[in-house]
Amino acid sequence: MIFPRPARLALVALLLASIVWPAAPAHAFLDRILPGTDTKDEFDGRFIDTLTPGAWKPPLEAAMQEAAEKSSTSSATFSFGGGGDASGSTEQKVEAKDVSQPEFEQISGMTMLRMDERGIVALPVLDAYLAGIARRLLEHSPIRGAPIMIYVTASERYGEAKALPDGTIAIPMASILQADSEDELAALLAHEISHVLRGHHDLDWFEQRQGNLVSGAELMLGLASGLAQQIGKGNEMAAKAARILIVAEAAMTATSKGLFPSWTREHEDEADLLGLDLLIAAGYNYDGMFALMQKMEEAELVEASKPDPYQEVRKALEEEIQLQTSQGNIGGALGNVLQAATLEFSTALDRASVDHRSATDRLESIRDYFDREYADEIPPAMTSLPLEQVRKSKEFMEFAEAYRDASTALDLAEKGDLPAAEKAARSAVSGPYNNHAWTRYAFYKVRLEQGHRDRAMQNLELALNDPYVPLSVYKDLEQLNRKAGSMDSAARVLASAWEEFQRPAALYPPLIHHHLRKGEKARAQELAIECAFKNREVAKICRTAAEGRDPDMARTQNWLQALR
């Protein structure tokens, strides 16, 4: 059907308005519903005094036990296949629950850190220094025995520190390089240690996993129904799929009842307050916390000034809408409008999901708390000498130089200056860190931009010598081998990473592809089912891989295409 030109122009205007309009109201609405209570106003006195003294206990264990008890008493059933037979027996529920348990508990913090493409920096002098700061902070904690393990990552983002469920704490190399005093580093560590003491990331991590289970259940309802029609209800794999769906249903029920509510912004506020308490109790200068937050504020401003990553997507959608409307393809135009609206609302949700307030708001809150509780505190002098001694040590200076060269190589390669990028990359691997994952990964990227796939592969193979080699090295090495037609080599790389990283979500698509290549369709479909419960975004790629499409093509598609 072809519309008259005036009607087409009016429709285009309406469609384009529908793209632009949802963003502001969505952001405003989400801003209104965000938590507004300042944690410091919810109690009198110092936050550290509200803690119950005693031994540290991982709250995940209690949460898991409660979830298991609730799921085992669920009366819901799921009819798999066309016969209407209930497959929600107590035996199946218990079996499914036991099968799913390793998903939550057995991935170590170290393994989770190695899923970062930049890897871990192993410098004994730095590790010992940070461990000493942590011991000093923990001496004044009413909660004893927290299994704190500190690692430095090769991250270039100042505020990219994190605490993980088992007490593992990651400090970015950027924080070490940019800190002006030990007090500032101690403030960063105190904040992350506070998360571990309070068990925030144990619960947050479980909630995230639970959320993936719920999304997986939603995705799998359609997939399981289609699978049932293909293989029949008597098939062993069909029974396993039904058991998995029972677990998902239990997780969805638990979520709907608010079993694991998430107050991550409150958690960040608590870590700020407890971190300041620990910092001052340990004899550090409280200005270290204020300096930390000011640098976080500056980092946020830098991030905010970066170009909108969806700008090109929005532009492409607008052009596609105009083209389809001019051709009378109203259905296609409306589909793109829906995608554009989804993009805007998703952006708003991303903004709402930030797990802490802005650094500006946090700094103001910490200052208010300090004025209330520590106004008469006389601070010791700032401590900078120990940090400088570490940074002037030979091993630190050697790594810092290689680290900077690798980062420079990547920047130059991105700008298209490949000769200069190669020079920087060669410098990065010329010293004692020639086989460090970060330096070799940077050289690999440069070689890839130069079109030298064989040399790119050699750099990834050398990166495997790093004892903390990140997952990205395995992923890219598997991909290069597969593209080169070395399918057996690709399969071996994949098998090594699959075991070493405990079945990570990112490896499901290529693994599904390899099983399909060998004619093992049932195993590929089974992995697609598992994948749906790992990660909601990867699940989309797994579905396309299970349909026989190249996993790299699926991975590189933007998320709008993946939704079609």
Side-chain angles (χ1 to χ4, degrees):
M1 179 177 181
I2 304 297
F3 286 81
R5 180 175 175 79
R8 291 203 304 268
L9 292 175
L11 182 57
V12 170
L14 178 63
L15 294 176
L16 292 177
S18 70
I19 296 175
V20 177
W21 179 83
H27 284 305
F29 170 73
L30 290 166
D31 284 341
R32 285 198 298 273
I33 66 173
L34 292 177
T37 304
D38 196 328
T39 305
K40 73 177 190 306
D41 297 326
E42 297 178 354
F43 60 92
D44 295 322
R46 297 177 180 178
F47 185 78
I48 195 171
D49 295 330
T50 69
L51 305 185
T52 302
W56 181 85
K57 295 180 181 179
L60 179 60
E61 294 179 6
M64 286 286 295
Q65 183 176 357
E66 185 176 1
E69 291 171 356
K70 294 213 172 189
S71 65
S72 66
T73 58
S74 172
S75 59
T77 60
F78 178 79
S79 179
F80 192 86
D85 296 337
S87 55
S89 67
T90 302
E91 178 180 353
Q92 286 174 324
K93 289 179 181 179
V94 171
E95 182 178 355
K97 180 183 65 183
D98 291 341
V99 168
S100 68
Q101 180 108 349
E103 288 294 320
F104 300 106
E105 238 176 331
Q106 296 191 11
I107 300 179
S108 69
M110 166 61 76
T111 299
M112 294 173 75
L113 289 185
R114 290 174 61 200
M115 293 183 185
D116 185 316
E117 71 173 28
R118 296 177 183 258
I120 293 171
V121 178
L123 296 175
V125 64
L126 183 56
D127 294 340
Y129 173 63
L130 294 175
I133 296 175
R135 284 194 298 271
R136 181 173 167 181
L137 293 167
L138 287 166
E139 284 177 1
H140 303 276
S141 168
I143 300 173
R144 318 296 290 182
I148 302 297
M149 300 168 288
I150 301 171
Y151 297 95
V152 177
T153 63
S155 172
E156 294 179 291
R157 298 184 63 182
Y158 176 82
E160 203 172 59
K162 63 185 73 174
L164 297 173
D166 60 357
T168 298
I169 292 175
I171 302 297
M173 188 67 176
S175 294
I176 307 297
L177 292 171
Q178 297 176 34
D180 293 320
S181 67
E182 181 175 310
D183 308 79
E184 184 182 327
L185 270 183
L188 180 59
L189 276 171
H191 177 93
E192 299 305 327
I193 286 173
S194 295
H195 278 309
V196 176
L197 294 177
R198 296 291 290 160
H200 292 160
H201 285 270
D202 262 4
L203 289 176
D204 293 346
W205 181 65
F206 180 66
E207 288 157 9
Q208 180 183 356
R209 288 290 190 264
Q210 185 195 39
N212 286 333
L213 280 172
V214 174
S215 67
E218 296 166 348
L219 291 169
M220 281 308 303
L221 289 174
L223 179 58
S225 297
L227 189 62
Q229 295 175 3
Q230 295 178 29
I231 62 181
K233 66 179 182 179
N235 184 280
E236 180 181 352
M237 189 173 71
K240 183 172 183 178
R243 292 196 295 271
I244 293 175
L245 285 166
I246 293 167
V247 178
E249 185 277 330
M252 293 173 70
T253 301
T255 301
S256 65
K257 293 180 179 178
L259 181 59
F260 302 108
S262 178
W263 300 295
T264 54
R265 293 190 178 203
E266 181 179 339
H267 289 172
E268 289 296 327
D269 289 347
E270 288 184 1
D272 286 341
L273 302 181
L274 180 55
L276 182 61
D277 290 337
L278 292 174
L279 187 73
I280 293 175
Y284 283 107
N285 190 310
Y286 48 72
D287 280 335
M289 180 65 77
F290 300 141
L292 170 68
M293 296 309 302
Q294 287 168 349
K295 287 185 178 178
M296 294 284 288
E297 187 176 33
E298 293 169 3
E300 287 183 0
L301 290 174
V302 170
E303 286 297 314
S305 67
K306 291 182 177 179
D308 177 9
Y310 295 116
Q311 182 175 355
E312 292 301 318
V313 176
R314 289 189 176 95
K315 181 179 178 181
L317 280 171
E318 291 174 11
E319 293 174 353
E320 187 69 16
I321 289 170
Q322 292 180 9
L323 175 63
Q324 291 175 338
T325 305
S326 67
Q327 295 175 347
N329 184 7
I330 303 304
L334 288 174
N336 280 309
V337 168
L338 177 60
Q339 291 176 350
T342 304
L343 171 62
E344 296 297 347
F345 194 70
S346 176
T347 304
L349 286 177
D350 286 344
R351 183 182 175 207
S353 67
V354 173
D355 58 3
H356 52 71
R357 294 179 293 157
S358 70
T360 301
D361 290 340
R362 291 168 66 192
L363 179 58
E364 181 180 352
S365 180
I366 293 172
R367 286 194 183 279
D368 288 345
Y369 176 71
F370 174 83
D371 290 340
R372 188 183 84 185
E373 299 299 330
Y374 294 102
D376 299 328
E377 186 77 19
I378 299 176
M382 297 285 279
T383 306
S384 58
L385 181 60
L387 174 59
E388 284 305 308
Q389 290 175 335
V390 170
R391 290 196 293 211
K392 289 180 179 178
S393 66
K394 181 180 178 181
E395 64 175 292
F396 184 91
M397 292 179 69
E398 286 175 338
F399 180 81
E401 184 178 356
Y403 167 87
R404 292 191 183 99
D405 285 339
S407 299
T408 299
L410 286 175
D411 290 340
L412 291 170
E414 187 174 345
K415 295 174 182 176
D417 190 351
L418 297 183
E422 181 178 344
K423 182 178 179 180
R426 285 190 179 279
S427 178
V429 300
S430 63
Y433 296 97
N434 60 322
N435 287 337
H436 187 271
W438 176 230
T439 58
R440 282 296 168 184
Y441 194 79
F443 208 171
Y444 148 72
K445 287 288 191 181
V446 171
R447 288 303 193 195
L448 209 57
E449 288 295 322
Q450 292 175 328
H452 301 316
R453 288 188 170 271
D454 289 345
R455 294 182 180 181
M457 188 180 298
Q458 289 172 3
N459 278 283
L460 289 180
E461 289 170 346
L462 289 170
L464 293 177
N465 293 315
D466 189 328
Y468 301 119
V469 57
L471 178 61
S472 57
V473 171
Y474 286 99
K475 286 167 54 181
D476 289 10
L477 186 56
E478 183 274 337
Q479 183 185 69
L480 284 182
N481 274 291
R482 180 157 35 89
K483 294 293 185 184
S486 303
M487 303 304 292
D488 290 340
S489 296
R492 283 195 294 271
V493 172
L494 189 58
S496 297
W498 183 252
E499 295 302 324
E500 190 166 347
F501 288 87
Q502 299 169 262
R503 303 164 71 91
L507 294 187
Y508 273 83
L511 191 63
I512 290 169
H513 173 81
H514 278 280
H515 281 290
L516 283 177
R517 184 182 63 86
K518 293 191 293 184
E520 299 170 352
K521 295 183 179 180
R523 178 56 179 157
Q525 288 288 352
E526 187 176 4
L527 287 170
I529 292 173
E530 289 182 20
C531 175
F533 294 86
K534 285 279 189 176
N535 181 286
R536 111 177 20 177
E537 294 304 319
V538 177
K540 300 169 188 175
I541 304 171
C542 287
R543 289 202 304 276
T544 61
E547 293 168 359
R549 286 183 257 175
D550 184 273
D552 299 322
M553 293 293 292
R555 186 181 292 111
T556 54
Q557 287 176 331
N558 65 52
W559 69 272
L560 291 175
Q561 293 170 315
L563 286 174
R564 291 174 181 167

